[in-house]
Amino acid sequence: MHERERRQAPTRRREQSMAEVPEVEILVRDLRQAVVGRRVEQVMLPQPVAVRFPSPEEYAANLSGQTVQGARRWAKHIWMPLSNNLALEVHLMLWGTLALVPCSQFVVPETMVVWRLDGGEDLRLIDKLGYARTAAGAPETLIERLDLRSLGPDALEPGFDEQVLLDRLKPRRGVLKTLLL
C-alpha cells in the first residue's frame, strides 16, 4: 500500500455498512500506520453530543497537545493511549467512520469531532446518524465508566482458542449468533 493510500485508509468502509469488528480492526491497523506518533494540535467539536465524558470543553482542552502513542481495538471500541497518561476512546456505533483528510478539506455536516493533527491533517469522526461517541481520560477511568472489563474474550487476542470458546458456550443454550454477541 502506498503512503497516501495508507494515510487515507480509515475511509475505506463502504458508504452504507455497519461498523462491525472486522471493519473496526482494519481502521485500528490503519490508525497505527497513519496517526500513532502524531500530536493532536487542536480538537473541534461540531457536534458536542459526541463526547460522552468529560465535558466537551474539558475533552478538547485535555486532548490538545497530546501525542497518540498507540491504537488498539477493544471489541468495537477504538482505544488510543495518549501521552500524559490519558487515553482516547471512540465507538463508531452503527454508521460512524474515521477519515484522515487534509485540514483544508471541507468539513461535511455529519462531522462530529475533528482532531487536528500535526502535519496539516485532520482525523474526523463522521456519522450520518449522529450516534458515534467518544470519551477521554485516565485509562482506568475510561475502562470503568465504559464497563470495558465486562466484554467477553476477543478472538484475535493471544490465548484465545477453541477451548476458550467451548468453555464459554458450554453452559449456554440459544441461537449461536446471539450467544456470540
Side-chain angles (χ1 to χ4, degrees):
M1 182 182 285
H2 296 297
E3 178 69 21
R4 182 79 176 144
E5 290 171 346
R6 183 178 324 144
R7 295 171 73 76
Q8 291 193 348
T11 61
R12 276 197 287 223
R13 278 193 328 105
R14 289 189 324 246
E15 188 65 25
Q16 292 295 318
S17 65
M18 187 178 294
E20 297 294 350
V21 169
E23 292 169 310
V24 176
E25 179 67 24
I26 289 169
L27 284 171
V28 166
R29 291 176 184 187
D30 292 339
L31 288 168
R32 286 184 196 133
Q33 295 293 320
V35 176
V36 172
R38 297 183 68 183
R39 186 171 184 261
V40 178
E41 299 289 334
Q42 182 181 8
V43 177
M44 291 156 280
L45 300 167
Q47 296 184 40
V49 68
V51 178
R52 292 181 201 255
F53 57 86
S55 71
E57 297 78 21
E58 288 178 88
Y59 178 92
N62 290 345
L63 294 180
S64 295
Q66 301 300 316
T67 300
V68 179
Q69 296 184 327
R72 71 171 281 222
R73 181 185 54 76
W74 198 329
K76 288 186 177 184
H77 297 265
I78 296 171
W79 180 273
M80 289 183 271
L82 306 170
S83 54
N84 209 20
N85 195 35
L86 292 174
L88 169 63
E89 177 271 348
V90 177
H91 197 296
L92 303 174
M93 298 297 188
L94 295 175
W95 306 104
T97 192
L98 293 171
L100 184 63
V101 298
C103 294
S104 60
Q105 184 170 314
F106 175 75
V107 178
V108 297
E110 298 85 14
T111 303
M112 301 190 77
V113 179
V114 176
W115 298 277
R116 175 132 312 146
L117 304 175
D118 58 3
E121 291 182 308
D122 288 344
L123 180 62
R124 298 179 184 176
L125 175 59
I126 301 168
D127 185 359
K128 290 182 180 184
L129 295 179
Y131 295 150
R133 295 293 181 260
T134 180
E140 280 303 314
T141 301
L142 285 175
I143 291 167
E144 182 179 317
R145 289 192 63 185
L146 296 170
D147 197 23
L148 296 178
R149 285 194 182 93
S150 71
L151 300 173
D154 193 303
L156 296 179
E157 289 294 319
F160 184 89
D161 59 16
E162 59 275 357
Q163 190 60 50
V164 171
L165 181 61
L166 180 62
D167 291 346
R168 287 296 195 116
L169 294 178
K170 199 172 193 175
R172 316 249 345 246
R173 295 275 183 246
V175 177
L176 183 58
K177 180 178 179 181
T178 304
L179 292 174
L180 291 173
L181 290 174

